[in-house]
Amino acid sequence: MTTLEILDVRKRWPTAGVDALAGVTLRVNRGEKVYVLGANGSGKTTLLKLVSGLLQPDEGRVLLEGVDITRRPAEQRAARIAHVLQDPSLGFNPEQTVLEHLLLAKASSEDVPFFFPKYRLRRELEGYLRGLGLAVADRIGNAVWTLSGGERQALAVAMNLWRRPDVLLLDECKKELDEQAQRQVDLLVAKVLEEVRPAMIVVTHDYEEALAHADRILVLGGGRIVAEGSRNGSRNGHWSSDYVREQLWASVQAEAHQGPEGRP
């Protein structure tokens, strides 16, 4: 059974007079890695937010293993759909500690109460973070605001690995990180894929990364899919670097044709 189905979803920003998404359909199987490319404002981030529940579509449906979750709020999807955002500061309460965030992740994934003795889990969680190679294990009692951007992103991925999600959404999650932090996030994502095998959608501007790692590549433009295929071939031709650049240019043109800017 297909893990995730996005069926003819549409989202319009009335004040901007544009369609963020204008009828997108996508199916992703367990263990499949789908990379989404496109110009700024092409609807990439909006697509992920419709899946995680941060936004609701105006039309269309989102199904998880055949169950319609279109109108379920984000908090009801969080145990099964993990969404790592581009900005490392988002998705965290800066005053809460690393330990408290991990406890919340555990509570949301295992249906256990949040108010249980933390000391019983502290050693387990420290060992978990060390097993992932995260230095933040030694600062598990520190507030999240004391962490660097790279450490926060690594923690976000670690929390989602703990949840063992059915769907993993990565929205330009390495864009603001230095090279070392990017490598650490890459290693953690690889571990999630190996251990959990979620259906994964990655939004990126790095088409070389998409060519190297994707099972499928989509290019969005004007709120629509303008190209789709595997990295070894597509409906329209071979997925070479030159071909991807051509499709990205088509995405830019689609945005220009769409009208005023305004899509997130």
Side-chain angles (χ1 to χ4, degrees), residues 18-19 35 51 57 67 75 78 100 103 129 134 139 195 203 218-219 222 225 231 237 241-242 258 262:
V18 295
D19 292 319
Y35 278 62
V51 174
V67 177
E75 57 270 22
E100 287 170 331
L103 290 173
L129 293 175
L134 299 182
R139 287 176 287 149
E195 295 188 6
V203 163
L218 307 180
V219 180
I225 296 173
R231 67 171 179 261
S241 295
D242 288 342
Q258 177 73 21

Side-chain angles (χ1 to χ4, degrees), residues 21 46 49 58 75 82 93 96 102 121 160 166 209:
L21 293 172
T46 300
K49 287 182 175 181
D58 297 323
E75 57 270 22
N93 180 336
Q96 285 187 320
L102 285 166
L121 283 171
N160 288 315
D166 296 302
E209 178 184 356

Side-chain angles (χ1 to χ4, degrees), residues 5-9 57 59-63 68 70:
E5 296 177 86
I6 304 165
L7 304 176
D8 196 27
V9 294
E59 298 178 31
R61 297 189 298 157
V62 179
L63 277 61
D68 192 334
T70 309

Side-chain angles (χ1 to χ4, degrees), residues 130-201:
R130 288 196 179 94
L132 295 176
L134 299 182
V136 72
D138 296 324
R139 287 176 287 149
I140 198 167
N142 288 21
V144 167
W145 70 264
T146 66
L147 306 182
S148 69
E151 288 172 330
R152 284 195 294 269
Q153 284 296 53
L155 177 60
V157 177
M159 289 165 58
N160 288 315
L161 175 58
W162 183 279
R163 288 174 176 148
R164 305 185 70 82
D166 296 302
V167 178
L168 178 61
L169 309 173
L170 303 178
D171 187 2
E172 293 274 10
C173 67
K174 299 184 295 179
K175 186 176 181 180
E176 305 298 329
L177 307 183
D178 60 33
E179 188 173 340
Q180 181 178 355
Q182 288 184 25
R183 286 197 298 270
Q184 187 172 50
V185 170
D186 283 338
L187 290 172
L188 287 173
V189 170
K191 192 170 183 66
V192 174
L193 293 174
E194 179 183 357
E195 295 188 6
V196 185
R197 298 192 70 250
M200 186 169 81
I201 304 178

Side-chain angles (χ1 to χ4, degrees), residues 19-51:
D19 292 319
L21 293 172
V24 170
T25 292
L26 173 63
R27 294 175 174 85
V28 188
N29 297 319
R30 179 168 291 279
E32 187 177 18
K33 296 171 289 185
V34 176
Y35 278 62
V36 182
L37 306 172
N40 289 334
S42 59
K44 305 184 299 298
T45 292
T46 300
L47 179 66
L48 296 194
K49 287 182 175 181
L50 292 180
V51 174

Side-chain angles (χ1 to χ4, degrees), residues 86-129:
Q86 176 179 327
D87 187 343
S89 67
L90 297 177
F92 291 103
N93 180 336
E95 300 302 324
Q96 285 187 320
T97 65
V98 172
L99 175 61
E100 287 170 331
H101 280 88
L102 285 166
L103 290 173
L104 283 169
K106 183 177 179 66
S108 69
S109 63
E110 299 183 15
D111 196 25
V112 296
F114 175 62
F115 297 101
F116 46 79
K118 297 176 185 177
Y119 65 85
R120 296 184 182 178
L121 283 171
R122 182 173 182 128
R123 286 187 180 179
E124 177 186 349
L125 292 170
E126 286 176 342
Y128 168 69
L129 293 175

